[in-house]
Amino acid sequence: MKKAIASITAIIALALPLVASASTWNIDPDHSNVGFKVRHLMVSNVKGSFDKYTGKIELDDKDITRSRVIVAIDTNTVNTNVQKRDEHLRSADFFDVAKYPTMTFASKKIAKAGKDKLKMTGDLTLHGITRPVVLTVEGLSKESKDPWGNIRRGATATTKINRKDFGLVWNAALETGGVTVGDEVTITLEIELIKAQAK
């Protein structure tokens, strides 16, 4: 576990050079959530999340389209509140965490998409496969100072992916027709950021 977190930290440090005129913000994992949901047995949605992740944003308020984002997630920390299901998700049938312990997202393009909305295009690397995805970002808040002197902002980002595009192809047919696990996965990130102190 410690090795995976160290690897995530290294990815963040190397992948996100400072943008001139931008401020640096770090994801606060204590007040954020990286969640997903997927169809189960063709009748309901099962939700889950990842408990350990880190991320950094170089935010350019003068030109938001010049901002950059990188997020790294420890896939071993997948949590659906059912131990046996989580163990299956960690296995080679799904995330194969022994081989692919980290999932990453690195932004490539950010565009305005209406009032208080952005479209963020970037590379998602999951299960050893990298593909472009587009996230809708809403509600980027103004700066707010907490009681301990930290400057905070927040936002919500959502996207949908087809898990088969990333090699997550395991399934089981149902007697009544259909399959056990849906292909489409909805990802929702509720993110709270802390402004890094100038060095």
Side-chain angles (χ1 to χ4, degrees), residues 121-159:
T121 303
D123 288 337
L124 176 64
T125 299
L126 169 61
H127 199 247
I129 297 173
T130 300
R131 291 188 178 275
V133 299
V134 179
L135 287 87
T136 299
V137 181
E138 299 183 75
L140 180 62
S141 69
K142 296 181 179 179
E143 293 185 5
S144 176
K145 181 180 287 188
D146 69 22
W148 303 275
N150 299 303
I151 306 300
R152 295 178 179 266
R153 300 182 79 163
T156 300
T158 58
T159 192

Side-chain angles (χ1 to χ4, degrees), residues 23 55 74 101 137 170 194:
S23 55
D74 182 352
V137 181
W170 182 91
I194 298 177

Side-chain angles (χ1 to χ4, degrees), residues 79-176:
N79 182 5
T80 65
N81 294 315
V82 177
Q83 184 177 346
K84 287 186 177 180
R85 181 167 58 211
D86 294 343
E87 290 172 354
H88 192 196
L89 289 172
R90 294 184 188 108
S91 76
D93 284 342
F94 288 99
F95 292 118
D96 197 359
V97 300
K99 191 173 183 180
Y100 307 108
T102 307
M103 169 175 31
T104 62
F105 173 82
S107 67
K108 297 294 184 182
K109 177 183 177 181
I110 298 175
K112 295 180 180 179
K115 186 178 180 181
D116 297 326
K117 287 188 178 182
L118 302 168
K119 290 293 185 182
M120 182 188 303
T121 303
D123 288 337
L124 176 64
T125 299
L126 169 61
H127 199 247
I129 297 173
T130 300
R131 291 188 178 275
V133 299
V134 179
L135 287 87
T136 299
V137 181
E138 299 183 75
L140 180 62
S141 69
K142 296 181 179 179
E143 293 185 5
S144 176
K145 181 180 287 188
D146 69 22
W148 303 275
N150 299 303
I151 306 300
R152 295 178 179 266
R153 300 182 79 163
T156 300
T158 58
T159 192
K160 292 182 180 181
I161 64 170
N162 187 316
R163 64 188 180 90
K164 289 184 176 179
D165 290 342
F166 296 89
L168 305 177
V169 298
W170 182 91
N171 226 325
L174 302 174
E175 290 184 9
T176 54

